[in-house]
Amino acid sequence: MVTNNEEQHKHFIKLHASKRIDRRKEIKYPTPLFSVGEKTVGQTIYPVPFATFGNFSAIQGGSKVGKTYFKSLLIASYIGGNTNNYAPNIKSHRTTEKEILDFDTEQGEWHSSSGAKRVDTLVGDYYENYHSFQLRELDAHERVEFIEYCLFTKYKNIGLVVIDGIADLVSDVNSLEESNHIIQKLMEWSSVLDIHIMVFIHTNWGSDKATGHLGSAIGKKAETLCDLKRDQEFTNVKFLFCRGFKIDDFRFRLDENGLPITEDEMLY
């Protein structure tokens, strides 16, 4: 595009310099927040990342398949502590005291609070930098504004952000304009702040497809797309798409105390 606007011309000069890929520059293997297993390439052993900084992932599933329990397990796994007793196959790579923001758009106060407290129980301690929020009463526009306030104003050292569920940040999941706007937000927030954003979304009844145009767009852009299905006492965790190494499927169940615990063996 040719333009005579001097300010715009200067802007694109800066963009050209900052966005051009230098193929001679050595780029380190992306740092995972947490990984599932390892992969050997030549003489090097790499962790298989579930989530890396600067990206977003998506967990999808039908109603009442255990998405909230899985969310608690993943957040607790990133924090560390005693979570290895519940999810030995999920390894945390957290080395600093990063802030964790957990936004629940669906549940009422009691269920949201119970889910947040479950994280403390899994970890075995109260992690000061884990902050959970219940946004059920807000409308879609205000939810987005509040999340942006937390990301860019309130907290300064963020590692992981969870949005459960992402569909409540739009008024119509089938709106092309609204869906693309939220996807652009996810890519912008994760890239600019160098954080990982994990979103949860429902699937259509009897389908592996996430709800609406929003679900389709998320599946195309997410670093990792994970699908949950209930099978008697187990929830099967299947990885439909991974940007890096393939992650092996696994399953989890609730123990006698109502806490999620993973198992490597799948029942398909």
Side-chain angles (χ1 to χ4, degrees), residues 24 26 38 58 98 103 114 138 158 170 216 236 250 258 268:
R24 294 167 296 186
E26 182 181 356
E38 296 177 334
K98 294 278 191 179
F103 301 99
S114 296
L138 306 182
I158 304 170
V170 299
S216 299
N236 294 329
F250 59 88
Y268 280 121

Side-chain angles (χ1 to χ4, degrees), residues 111-156:
H111 287 95
S112 293
S113 178
S114 296
K117 291 178 180 179
R118 187 185 304 121
V119 171
D120 296 330
T121 304
L122 289 166
V123 172
D125 196 6
Y126 183 89
Y127 184 63
E128 293 284 351
N129 293 324
Y130 170 49
H131 313 283
S132 55
F133 305 91
Q134 190 252 341
L135 309 184
R136 184 178 184 177
E137 294 81 8
L138 306 182
D139 64 29
H141 180 71
E142 194 172 9
R143 288 178 187 127
V144 174
E145 288 189 327
F146 178 75
I147 291 173
E148 287 197 314
Y149 162 75
C150 291
L151 295 181
F152 291 94
T153 304
K154 181 64 177 177
Y155 300 98
K156 301 300 181 185

